[in-house]
Amino acid sequence: MTIREVAERAGVSVATVSAVINENKYVSDELRSRVLQAIRDLDYRPNRWAKSLATGKGYTIAYVVPDITNPIFSQITKGIQEVANGQNYSVILCSTNFDSPTLQRYVDWILEMRVDGVVFTGSHHQQSLDEMIRIVKAGIPLAAAMAPGSAEFVDRILINDQEAACQAVTILQNQGCHAVAFLGVSESTTSLKRLRGYQEAVTVYSPELTAFGADFTWQDGYTAMQAILSRGCLFDGVFAGSDLMALGAAAALREHSRRIPDDIQLMGFDNTYAHLADSPFQSMAIPAFDIGKTAADVVFWRMNDRQRPPTTTTLQARLVGPAAASRKGEFQQQ
Amino acid sequence: MTIREVAERAGVSVATVSAVINENKYVSDELRSRVLQAIRDLDYRPNRWAKSLATGKGYTIAYVVPDITNPIFSQITKGIQEVANGQNYSVILCSTNFDSPTLQRYVDWILEMRVDGVVFTGSHHQQSLDEMIRIVKAGIPLAAAMAPGSAEFVDRILINDQEAACQAVTILQNQGCHAVAFLGVSESTTSLKRLRGYQEAVTVYSPELTAFGADFTWQDGYTAMQAILSRGCLFDGVFAGSDLMALGAAAALREHSRRIPDDIQLMGFDNTYAHLADSPFQSMAIPAFDIGKTAADVVFWRMNDRQRPPTTTTLQARLVGPAAASRKGEFQQQ
DNA sequence: AACGGTTAGCTAACCGTTTAGCTTCGGAGG
DNA sequence: CCTCCGAAGCTAAACGGTTAGCTAACCGTT
């Protein structure tokens, strides 16, 4: 069970056993094999807590996420896991459910548990930023993925929201759209960037073709679309802030007997649901898995070099069309 | 930083500080407040590793899951987190991506990390069972949620698949359906149970109204539905193995100009996507969050009583109709 | 033969808690 | 006044690793 028993059985000292396990010092082949044999005989596994206590490393990184149920975030999780596991680290999950006290409790934990690093995906609230600062101040490497952190003091992983939005609208225009509507979310910096991209793409910007909800939900998309429809202005394309909003918008359009894609071209964002709609629409896919991988990479970099100035990595969203979209649902059950 | 510094500053012994922190022994109000003040002054946080080493408890449970991306599983995760956090435990995530070597590596870890408990949601492969056995044999409390573990040696949390399927079909019949088709998955014990429930509900069982895919995906639903349609038999209701399959089926039906719900009543399972469809359909909702909560509860029970015979808890799936289904998408982004 | 350098391996201190068991003190009962 | 008891607090030994620093053996020089 303990390293001492292994040492005894192999007839060596604990230091030698430790050296064999960690492969860091010269041990003669003779002793090494005796030690390995003893380890096998006893089915010995080093005690992680003792090791952590002695070395000061916990081999653990935390992932702070508003809602693990969101497909984007759960894909990010996978990316983080992939690189963390590759380094023999485990990932502990902190899903805050957009709840401030919960977030605060998690950060307390993170500080107490002496986690080695943190990947942080936050909402656009101020509090997220404050909590990130607490973590950084405690000297724990942190990567902010798709998080507000406009700051220069944390490593960030972003996507090219503005550019991607511009591309999306341009694509719609190339497909023949003359007037593209924009469905966004007020108070979201992400949505704001996309609005800028939209404005960049349209030659004249008419505010009555834009509407904003409180969040990226079906309901918000539905309501925003209704709002634009009720204004009676003409449009033949819609760029929605998320696929869920696009689905909501589609429902509103259907109620007004506008057909997709015949009457209206629809473009979503994040490519989570686009291919599941009755009339599949286009969507800008967020490289969520890569975001997770990159964020974890960044955390490990910083673990090895705490001095390096903060970096910002920007990943590209890319178009997924109804044709390109795989119809093989990715979800399995049982 | 350490308990000794706190003790020194408060002018007491380390044992007293420990007693104050853990509230387990009598300490006079006088000393208690001095200690608490010192803790606040120094922003002291006990070292988890040292604590774990001394107590033999890690305050950690692991969640083994085939695919965190699956909405059902990510909701289970939330349930686990809720109760684990309530007990001051953290959850470490092990998403295996249906990959055997990955699963094996995770189990090795779990054994090495001396996790206090495990919630296991597995696929229907034999290997899942083997790995569960390894964990149980190591004496680690384990709850199998929606996992095959037909065994009597692990605590299980299941849903009433057969009964729920029977109910679902009966509901369709009560809504006027005379012939209900069944879309299942071959080699899935879950699907098999539902088939039994289906057979229980229909008075005469005609195999040509059933079709099976390889998994619970959109594509499988689509293909299975096509198969039944191509047989030319009459039906006015469809019971699908998952909401994704139902969406696939809906697409197939649409291609054959069958309208939902006018011509065909559609019933899904798991209630993950039902409310997002163009023609929302009914679905049997799996109480995923409660499954997670219950599984975690069971793990904690067993941590406190290793002798108790294994239990099986069965939770009920319940109908969610298009009317009842909330149109407020639950997913948010950024 | 004496010496220094190198190397394999060992001893023991340390990481920061918990906790059994001991001391001290004050008050109640005889 | 003495005894006994319980409460409050302390001391020191674990828990199971890592690792600095020491020892002993071996080998090539001079």
Side-chain angles (χ1 to χ4, degrees):
Chain A
M1 285 282 227
T2 81
I3 202 175
R4 269 167 253 269
E5 297 175 49
V6 175
E8 193 171 351
R9 175 166 188 125
V12 302
S13 75
V14 293
T16 304
V17 178
S18 178
V20 169
I21 291 170
N22 299 305
E23 302 172 329
N24 50 5
K25 270 193 179 175
Y26 257 73
V27 178
S28 67
D29 291 345
E30 155 72 4
L31 286 203
R32 183 197 319 285
S33 62
R34 276 198 352 235
V35 168
L36 290 176
Q37 186 58 46
I39 288 175
R40 243 172 284 125
D41 290 349
L42 299 173
D43 191 27
Y44 165 75
R45 298 164 196 281
N47 181 314
R48 285 296 271 259
W49 303 323
K51 178 166 186 152
S52 290
L53 181 58
T55 60
K57 301 184 66 176
Y59 303 98
T60 296
I61 77 177
Y63 176 38
V64 180
V65 55
D67 179 10
I68 187 60
T69 265
N70 181 317
I72 293 293
F73 291 144
S74 57
Q75 277 169 48
I76 290 181
T77 310
K78 278 192 178 180
I80 296 172
Q81 275 215 37
E82 173 141 323
V83 345
N85 293 351
Q87 306 265 1
N88 254 285
Y89 275 63
S90 48
V91 176
I92 97 162
L93 189 67
C94 310
S95 179
T96 65
N97 303 324
F98 291 97
D99 181 57
S100 288
T102 307
L103 172 57
Q104 203 173 334
R105 254 182 28 227
Y106 271 128
V107 174
D108 283 340
W109 268 18
I110 284 171
L111 298 179
E112 181 171 329
M113 301 225 5
R114 286 160 165 75
V115 157
D116 297 297
V118 177
V119 175
F120 199 104
T121 50
S123 61
H124 39 283
H125 299 327
Q126 174 62 30
Q127 199 213 347
S128 292
L129 198 53
D130 295 341
E131 297 297 344
M132 278 174 42
I133 292 175
R134 276 177 67 202
I135 297 173
V136 172
K137 278 211 175 136
I140 300 177
L142 179 147
M146 305 204 330
S150 55
E152 311 74 15
F153 57 93
V154 355
D155 292 307
R156 299 185 305 169
I157 292 87
L158 301 174
I159 58 167
N160 58 342
D161 280 297
Q162 178 166 349
E163 192 188 350
C166 180
Q167 279 171 19
V169 175
T170 307
I171 287 163
L172 287 176
Q173 289 166 337
N174 290 344
Q175 288 168 353
C177 291
H178 295 101
V180 175
F182 179 89
L183 309 182
V185 168
S186 48
E187 314 224 1
S188 158
T189 50
T190 302
S191 183
L192 188 62
K193 286 191 211 152
R194 298 200 193 138
L195 178 61
R196 282 205 219 100
Y198 166 82
Q199 291 169 325
E200 200 179 313
V202 297
T203 36
V204 295
Y205 169 55
S206 41
E208 72 261 24
L209 278 177
T210 67
F212 299 87
D215 251 312
F216 292 93
T217 65
W218 193 99
Q219 184 64 51
D220 288 300
Y222 177 82
T223 311
M225 194 74 259
Q226 288 285 15
I228 294 180
L229 283 162
S230 71
R231 292 178 199 147
C233 44
L234 291 173
F235 63 94
D236 50 6
V238 174
F239 175 47
S242 73
D243 276 15
L244 267 181
M245 291 187 86
L247 281 174
L253 291 169
R254 199 161 45 243
E255 287 179 13
H256 286 251
S257 311
R258 309 291 182 90
R259 303 192 314 162
I260 302 168
D262 304 329
D263 304 333
I264 306 273
Q265 300 268 357
L266 184 56
M267 170 82 68
F269 210 108
D270 67 29
N271 189 39
T272 47
Y273 296 98
H275 55 292
L276 296 176
D278 270 13
S279 323
F281 48 85
Q282 301 176 88
S283 188
M284 297 299 289
I286 295 176
F289 184 79
D290 286 336
I291 290 175
K293 272 181 34 175
T294 310
D297 280 338
V298 167
V299 167
F300 282 112
W301 286 345
R302 182 150 301 281
M303 276 171 46
N304 297 325
D305 179 3
R306 333 280 288 205
Q307 309 305 333
R308 193 181 53 151
T311 62
T312 294
T313 312
T314 305
L315 300 181
Q316 313 291 315
R318 68 166 213 292
L319 181 75
V320 174
S326 156
R327 296 234 87 169
K328 291 192 184 170
E330 286 157 19
F331 301 144
Q332 297 182 315
Q333 171 208 331
Q334 217 290 356
Chain B
M1 285 281 228
T2 82
I3 202 174
R4 264 168 259 272
E5 297 176 50
V6 175
E8 194 171 350
R9 176 165 188 125
V12 301
S13 76
V14 292
T16 303
V17 177
S18 178
V20 168
I21 291 170
N22 299 303
E23 302 174 331
N24 51 4
K25 268 193 183 176
Y26 260 67
V27 178
S28 67
D29 291 346
E30 154 71 7
L31 286 202
R32 184 196 321 286
S33 63
R34 278 203 343 242
V35 168
L36 290 175
Q37 186 58 46
I39 288 176
R40 241 172 286 125
D41 289 349
L42 299 172
D43 192 26
Y44 164 75
R45 299 166 196 281
N47 182 314
R48 285 297 271 260
W49 304 323
K51 178 168 186 153
S52 290
L53 181 58
T55 60
K57 302 183 66 174
Y59 304 96
T60 295
I61 77 179
Y63 177 37
V64 180
V65 55
D67 179 11
I68 186 60
T69 264
N70 181 318
I72 294 291
F73 291 144
S74 58
Q75 278 169 46
I76 290 181
T77 310
K78 278 191 177 179
I80 296 172
Q81 276 215 38
E82 173 142 322
V83 343
N85 294 351
Q87 307 264 359
N88 255 284
Y89 276 63
S90 48
V91 177
I92 98 163
L93 190 66
C94 311
S95 180
T96 65
N97 302 325
F98 292 96
D99 181 56
S100 287
T102 307
L103 172 57
Q104 203 173 335
R105 254 184 27 229
Y106 271 128
V107 173
D108 284 341
W109 268 18
I110 284 171
L111 298 179
E112 181 172 330
M113 301 225 6
R114 286 162 168 73
V115 158
D116 297 296
V118 177
V119 174
F120 198 104
T121 50
S123 61
H124 39 283
H125 299 326
Q126 174 62 30
Q127 200 214 348
S128 292
L129 199 53
D130 296 342
E131 298 296 347
M132 275 174 42
I133 292 175
R134 277 176 67 202
I135 297 173
V136 171
K137 279 211 176 135
I140 300 177
L142 180 148
M146 305 205 331
S150 56
E152 312 73 14
F153 57 91
V154 323
D155 293 305
R156 300 185 305 170
I157 291 86
L158 302 174
I159 57 167
N160 59 341
D161 279 297
Q162 178 166 348
E163 192 187 351
C166 180
Q167 280 172 19
V169 176
T170 306
I171 287 163
L172 288 177
Q173 289 167 337
N174 290 344
Q175 289 169 352
C177 291
H178 295 100
V180 176
F182 178 90
L183 308 181
V185 169
S186 49
E187 314 224 1
S188 158
T189 49
T190 301
S191 183
L192 189 61
K193 286 190 212 154
R194 297 197 194 140
L195 179 60
R196 282 206 219 100
Y198 166 80
Q199 291 171 326
E200 201 179 313
V202 297
T203 37
V204 295
Y205 170 54
S206 42
E208 73 261 25
L209 279 177
T210 67
F212 299 87
D215 251 313
F216 292 92
T217 65
W218 191 100
Q219 185 63 51
D220 288 301
Y222 177 82
T223 312
M225 194 73 260
Q226 289 284 14
I228 292 180
L229 283 162
S230 71
R231 293 180 199 146
C233 42
L234 292 173
F235 62 94
D236 51 6
V238 174
F239 175 46
S242 73
D243 276 14
L244 268 180
M245 291 187 86
L247 281 174
L253 290 169
R254 199 162 45 242
E255 287 179 13
H256 286 252
S257 310
R258 311 289 182 94
R259 305 193 310 163
I260 301 169
D262 305 330
D263 304 334
I264 304 271
Q265 299 270 358
L266 184 55
M267 170 82 69
F269 210 109
D270 68 28
N271 190 39
T272 46
Y273 297 98
H275 55 291
L276 296 175
D278 271 12
S279 323
F281 48 84
Q282 301 175 88
S283 188
M284 297 298 290
I286 295 177
F289 185 78
D290 286 334
I291 290 176
K293 272 182 32 174
T294 309
D297 279 337
V298 167
V299 167
F300 282 113
W301 287 346
R302 181 151 303 282
M303 277 171 47
N304 297 325
D305 177 4
R306 335 280 287 204
Q307 309 307 331
R308 195 181 52 150
T311 62
T312 294
T313 310
T314 305
L315 300 181
Q316 314 292 315
R318 68 165 213 293
L319 181 75
V320 175
S326 157
R327 298 234 82 168
K328 290 191 183 170
E330 285 158 19
F331 302 143
Q332 298 182 315
Q333 173 209 328
Q334 218 291 359

